[in-house]
Amino acid sequence: MNTCLSNARLTTCRPIRFAAGAALMVGSLAAHAIPVTWSGTTGNWFDPSQWNPTQVPTSGDIASVNNGGTANAAAGIAANRLFIGTLSGATPSATGSVVVSSGDVVTDIPVVGQTTTAGVGAVATGSLTISNGNLLPSGFFPFGVTVGQNVASDGIANGTINIANGSILLGNAASNPNLFIGMASGGATKSGSATGAVTAQAIDTSVNALRSVLIGRADNGGTANGTLSLTQGSGTLRVTDSFLVGSLSSQAGGSAIGVANLAGTQVDKVGASFGLFEIGSVDASQLVNNIGLGTANGQAAIAGGSGYTTYRVGTIIGTVVNDSVQADGVLNVGSGGLVASSTNPGSLQIGVSRGVPNNNQLIGLGGTATGTVTVTGGNVANFGNIRVGRAQGLSLIHISE
């Protein structure tokens, strides 16, 4: 079946059977944590002379590599907090790299490429490379793995984590950490950008689930670009809250691009907390100080998905939505299919632009929402409603056959 309405397309590679009813954040540090800062250029992580003070960071310390240097480690490393290429305030730039050629990286909170309350022109760039080892984040909510984040900043943040022959393991996590990749919240000038990319064989959530997964998320006029690639697709990515790819809160405009290449991995919502599954979404539901602009583009490939009540692919929801607002979403699903929560009738929205009145007001002509969902070898089940190509409550409807 191939249906095309209002810039939305739902395609299936076999007949679908519908079931019935169908900041830089330091936080609370351990009392014994000692800041240890890389002062060398390119050198050995385990050489005390490369650090200030002259000691190798341990699992109780806060390790930072922000001076443009590269710390190389031939064995696994540990730190209470690990900051690579991070800056805040008036600092003009921060760059750093950590390369682990063999062994695990164990840290409560890894932050790679982050600007916080920085001005125009500030640039933070960080990279973490692990070969033949794993990343073991053991942090607690609201912390987690942060890669490429701009926090209330008009600067630029770039972060990458590349894990060859290894994975992200959450078995030692104290609770459910977040995964933030490419997140931008603009500062005083409503600008600033963040780019984040994570590549690993897999993310093991069999013991502890992730809380929120945000890939390419922007607000307050920021520009965000996030990419997650899992090279050995298998298993299940368990998430307790939202899974957002290419998501924009557009009150001040901005742009969000997200890509999740998880072709062999199932994405399942677990637990009782509220969460959304969105690929390419714009939210402009605020009335005050809402300029009604912005774009979002999300692409995701998963083996299957289950447990969420609401699935949105290429959607606009707002009170102030001008005709230039654009939301594009593409979701490719394998044999696991899409199965909504069994406790509440689910909603599947594909290429939907919906006006939400605030104080009895709707402003703007409405934007363009384009959604495509392809399910190969799987089913779509437990949805109380499925909306494909729908414009509601706004003045302008875009239709393409």
Side-chain angles (χ1 to χ4, degrees):
M1 182 179 69
N2 187 337
T3 303
C4 180
L5 265 176
S6 185
N7 284 348
R9 188 165 62 253
L10 168 64
T11 63
T12 60
C13 297
R14 66 172 233 184
I16 283 183
R17 297 190 296 273
F18 294 102
L24 179 64
M25 298 180 298
V26 176
S28 176
L29 299 175
H32 64 280
I34 299 173
V36 184
T37 303
W38 181 262
S39 58
T41 53
T42 297
N44 182 359
W45 174 284
F46 298 103
D47 180 358
S49 68
Q50 303 284 341
W51 297 94
N52 182 20
T54 55
Q55 64 183 65
V56 177
T58 68
S59 59
D61 298 328
I62 307 165
S64 301
V65 182
N66 293 322
N67 68 336
T70 299
N72 294 312
I77 62 174
N80 185 275
R81 309 288 195 267
L82 178 59
F83 298 133
I84 307 171
T86 62
L87 64 82
S88 62
T91 305
S93 66
T95 303
S97 298
V98 174
V99 179
V100 181
S101 59
S102 180
D104 297 336
V105 175
V106 181
T107 178
D108 273 13
I109 302 170
V111 179
V112 183
Q114 184 188 66
T115 60
T116 305
T117 62
V120 174
V123 180
T125 302
S127 68
L128 171 61
T129 302
I130 305 171
S131 301
N132 304 307
N134 304 299
L135 174 62
L136 283 71
S138 54
F140 48 87
F141 176 79
F143 306 113
V145 180
T146 300
V147 186
Q149 184 183 37
N150 200 323
V151 183
S153 168
D154 294 314
I156 299 171
N158 301 294
T160 60
I161 293 180
N162 187 10
I163 306 174
N165 300 317
S167 301
I168 299 175
L169 309 179
L170 299 183
N172 64 332
S175 63
N176 306 117
N178 292 307
L179 176 59
F180 296 153
I181 305 173
M183 291 182 60
S185 178
T189 65
K190 311 298 184 186
S191 61
S193 67
T195 300
V198 174
T199 302
Q201 288 183 332
I203 300 176
D204 186 350
T205 61
S206 58
V207 176
N208 286 309
L210 287 165
R211 185 169 294 262
S212 291
V213 177
L214 309 182
I215 305 168
R217 167 71 176 175
D219 63 28
N220 200 40
T223 299
N225 192 319
T227 302
L228 172 62
S229 299
L230 301 183
T231 59
Q232 276 192 1
S234 63
T236 299
L237 189 69
R238 300 188 309 129
V239 183
T240 67
D241 288 4
S242 293
F243 183 87
L244 308 180
V245 180
S247 171
L248 172 69
S249 178
S250 71
Q251 278 78 351
S255 172
I257 298 174
V259 178
N261 295 314
L262 320 177
T265 301
Q266 178 92 9
V267 177
D268 287 351
K269 168 76 170 65
V270 297
S273 63
F274 176 78
L276 295 170
F277 184 101
E278 295 184 344
I279 311 297
S281 63
V282 173
D283 182 345
S285 55
Q286 183 173 313
L287 179 61
V288 179
N289 297 324
N290 189 343
I291 65 174
L293 300 174
T295 62
N297 185 295
Q299 301 178 43
I302 61 176
S306 72
Y308 284 96
T309 300
T310 302
Y311 290 80
R312 296 172 178 158
V313 181
T315 62
I316 300 170
I317 297 176
T319 301
V320 182
V321 181
N322 292 310
D323 58 358
S324 62
V325 174
Q326 179 86 30
D328 299 296
V330 176
L331 175 62
N332 293 310
V333 185
S335 59
L338 283 181
V339 182
S341 170
S342 59
T343 58
N344 296 297
S347 174
L348 175 58
Q349 303 168 25
I350 306 169
V352 172
S353 180
R354 180 165 64 93
V356 180
N358 189 327
N359 197 26
N360 295 319
Q361 295 188 64
L362 278 175
I363 301 172
L365 295 175
T368 300
T370 303
T372 302
V373 175
T374 302
V375 180
T376 304
N379 301 319
V380 175
N382 290 349
F383 289 99
N385 66 77
I386 297 177
R387 298 175 180 176
V388 181
R390 181 172 181 177
Q392 175 183 348
L394 294 165
S395 303
L396 186 64
I397 302 176
H398 299 265
I399 300 177
S400 71
E401 297 281 340

